[in-house]
Amino acid sequence: MLGRERGDRRRRLLPLPDLPGAVKQFLGAIARPGLPAGPARRPGNPDAVVDCAVYAGGLRHGGAAQLPYPEAARLAQRRRGAFVWLGLHEPDLATMRPVAEVFDLHELLVDQAVSGGGHRPGVETLGDVTRLVLRTARYVEHDRLTATSEVVETGDVTVLIGPWFAITVRHGPVGPLWEVRKELQNRPEVLSQGPWSVAYAVGSRMVDSYLDVAEHVEHDLERIEEETFASDRTSEFAHIYQLKREMVEFKRAVLPLAEPLSRLLESHGLPAGLRPYLEDVRGRLSRAVDRVGGFDDLVNSILQARLAQVAVDQNHDMRKIAAWAAIAAVPTVIAGIFGMNFDVMPGTEEPWGFYAAVGTMLLIGGGLYHRLKSSGWL
């Protein structure tokens, strides 16, 4: 009897067969009526996948429809010369783990792709996968530059380049890549170069955005320069410090990219057909670096000029205060002398004494005013 009860208990504790999820939850609730059914686990961030397609011979296969990346990976591996371009936006770890399994990514690449935000531009290679990091930049429109105005908004893009795939991971609202994909699909001669064409297209778009931001910043600097040397300028200059801080953020996006781009051009894995295009990107980046460096010098010059103007204005105010203090000292001294409590004071008992004292005050004070006015103190 006891053996039969133990056998029945063991049979009740056996795992449920592999049934659909809803059926398994229902049977589990019956078997354990006292335990509530737990919430269903989310499979990651489904909105992280922006687009996924297979490219071969410079053309997108399957039309504009988005393919699941496991299916796209199988199609690309079966066809010679094909590759997958998977676009992700701020994926979480639950989303990146299946992607890493499909594309055989190193765990360090997964962690770096998930963390995002604030990465310095750079390039590194782990196994067969090259990781290229670029900073995105966008000019924030504003009517007037203030002490809290945001001038440049930045983010980052990570491009993972493998033998048969290219994965772009973007963090932040800046720099959407759907326009890059559309333009590259209209250039089959570049797209036919394989996954490295994605790296070129993304890098080219980032450099173009740097030049666009630099052009808008130039207009801000011109307006600040006009305000600094205007005759009706204000005493505020905190907005110049704000622009300088924004320029520091912009420099961190632009200047460090020169070294990774040079390393890419020296890489043996880069297709020969893409080298002229990357050389053009490096040339445009050099122009952006020169302009950003010039901005920093110009902002420093404007700031130094504004500080010098503040010092001059303060000195001028102090001279005015000293001049009026000297004029005010004349009646103070005369009134103090005649106000002393002595029995014998010349003119105190004369009818003209008061008028003589006031006239002396006005005469000496007027002479001082004329003298100080002509010397520029007033």
Side-chain angles (χ1 to χ4, degrees):
M1 190 74 179
L2 291 174
R4 185 185 308 171
E5 290 179 358
R6 292 194 185 98
D8 294 342
R9 190 176 296 113
R10 282 196 296 269
R11 284 193 294 271
R12 286 196 298 270
L13 295 176
L14 287 177
L16 295 172
D18 190 11
L19 297 173
V23 178
K24 186 179 291 187
Q25 290 182 4
F26 175 72
L27 294 179
I30 296 177
R32 296 180 295 276
L35 297 176
R41 295 180 58 188
R42 292 186 61 188
N45 181 12
D47 297 329
V49 178
V50 179
D51 198 358
C52 181
V54 177
Y55 298 90
L59 299 175
R60 174 171 179 156
H61 288 261
Q66 176 179 318
L67 295 176
Y69 59 85
E71 179 182 350
R74 288 192 297 269
L75 293 175
Q77 289 177 308
R78 290 174 185 173
R79 182 166 182 173
R80 184 177 180 181
F83 72 94
V84 179
W85 182 358
L86 172 62
L88 303 173
H89 181 220
E90 296 184 349
D92 53 16
L93 188 59
T95 302
M96 281 300 299
R97 281 174 176 168
V99 173
E101 293 177 0
V102 172
F103 295 94
D104 193 21
L105 301 178
H106 195 278
E107 60 179 353
L108 291 178
L109 296 176
V110 175
D111 294 338
Q112 292 165 352
V114 170
S115 61
H119 284 309
R120 179 183 174 88
V123 61
E124 62 178 346
T125 301
L126 288 176
D128 295 334
V129 181
T130 300
R131 173 177 175 262
L132 174 63
V133 179
L134 306 101
R135 298 284 292 169
T136 60
R138 180 179 65 186
Y139 178 80
V140 180
E141 296 288 346
H142 50 269
D143 296 332
R144 183 175 177 270
L145 187 63
T146 65
T148 58
S149 296
E150 186 176 10
V151 180
V152 180
E153 186 178 9
T154 60
D156 65 72
V157 172
T158 299
V159 185
L160 304 177
I161 308 161
W164 51 273
F165 63 84
I167 303 175
T168 54
V169 183
R170 182 171 62 92
H171 287 272
V174 183
L177 300 179
W178 63 269
E179 292 183 353
V180 179
R181 186 186 291 264
K182 182 179 179 181
E183 291 178 1
L184 189 58
Q185 288 176 168
N186 293 330
R187 302 175 65 185
E189 70 282 358
V190 178
L191 191 57
S192 62
Q193 298 295 324
W196 282 95
S197 63
V198 177
Y200 153 72
V202 174
S204 178
R205 172 51 64 91
M206 295 304 106
V207 173
D208 287 341
S209 67
Y210 300 158
L211 293 172
D212 181 67
V213 171
E215 183 178 354
H216 285 84
V217 171
E218 279 184 350
H219 297 315
D220 282 341
L221 288 172
E222 290 173 358
R223 282 185 290 180
I224 291 179
E225 193 172 14
E226 292 174 357
E227 293 174 1
T228 300
F229 297 101
S231 57
D232 56 343
R233 60 180 178 271
T234 63
S235 59
E236 297 293 332
F237 58 94
H239 59 289
I240 303 179
Y241 279 106
Q242 174 65 15
L243 183 60
K244 186 174 178 60
R245 286 192 293 266
E246 293 291 306
M247 288 301 96
V248 169
E249 183 178 359
F250 190 33
K251 284 172 60 179
R252 290 174 181 171
V254 179
L255 270 60
L257 184 57
E259 189 267 340
L261 195 57
S262 298
R263 289 176 57 187
L264 279 182
L265 286 168
E266 297 172 358
S267 174
H268 298 290
L270 182 67
L274 285 178
R275 292 186 183 276
Y277 295 100
L278 281 179
E279 287 286 357
D280 176 70
V281 173
R282 183 164 66 173
R284 283 181 282 142
L285 179 62
S286 299
R287 295 201 305 270
V289 168
D290 292 340
R291 295 175 75 174
V292 173
F295 293 161
D296 195 46
D297 295 337
L298 184 56
V299 172
N300 288 334
S301 299
I302 294 175
L303 186 58
Q304 293 299 325
R306 193 68 191 92
L307 291 174
Q309 288 175 348
V310 171
V312 170
D313 292 340
Q314 290 176 346
N315 186 34
H316 189 58
D317 293 340
M318 291 301 298
R319 291 169 65 180
K320 283 184 177 181
I321 294 172
W324 284 111
I327 295 173
V330 173
T332 302
V333 171
I334 296 175
I337 292 174
F338 281 91
M340 293 186 295
N341 192 16
F342 288 107
D343 293 335
V344 179
M345 290 290 295
T348 55
E349 295 182 358
E350 301 294 335
W352 48 263
F354 171 76
Y355 300 103
V358 173
T360 304
M361 294 178 188
L362 294 176
L363 182 63
I364 299 176
L368 280 175
Y369 177 82
H370 177 72
R371 176 66 177 175
L372 294 170
K373 183 73 172 178
S374 60
S375 63
W377 282 59
L378 289 175

